[in-house]
Amino acid sequence: MLKELAGKEKVTGVKQSSRAVRSGLAREVFLANDADPALTGPLLEQCREREIPVRVEFTMRQLGQAAGIQVGAAVVAVLD
């Protein structure tokens, strides 16, 4: 699944992903299972309210690599 993520239009990070969710651009959100819940919790609630699928089976390192960045990513949102 993460290889597919590399080829899709996406945003990384809590702020960018939250903005995409609020504006209706996010199709699916990946939350790192090792990220601080205080950081990702509000975004998880936004996704639930808007019925956006959330996946939590990957680590920050895995999400960062899939997003093509050199550091870990707590959140990656796939855009429509």
Side-chain angles (χ1 to χ4, degrees):
M1 178 62 202
L2 285 179
K3 289 181 182 180
E4 292 176 17
L5 181 61
K8 303 214 183 232
E9 188 175 350
K10 64 195 156 301
V11 294
T12 59
V14 175
K15 287 183 183 179
Q16 294 279 347
S17 298
S18 181
R19 192 173 303 133
V21 168
R22 283 194 312 268
S23 65
L25 296 175
R27 181 169 38 107
E28 184 175 21
V29 174
F30 291 79
L31 298 178
N33 57 20
D34 58 345
D36 182 358
L39 193 69
T40 59
L43 181 58
L44 179 60
E45 283 303 314
Q46 285 180 356
C47 291
R48 285 181 179 160
E49 289 170 5
R50 291 169 175 79
E51 298 181 357
I52 296 171
V54 176
R55 300 194 49 181
V56 294
E57 64 263 23
F58 304 105
T59 65
M60 289 178 65
R61 181 171 165 250
Q62 290 171 318
L63 289 179
Q65 287 177 341
I69 60 176
Q70 298 298 317
V71 295
V75 182
V76 177
V78 177
L79 305 177
D80 278 331

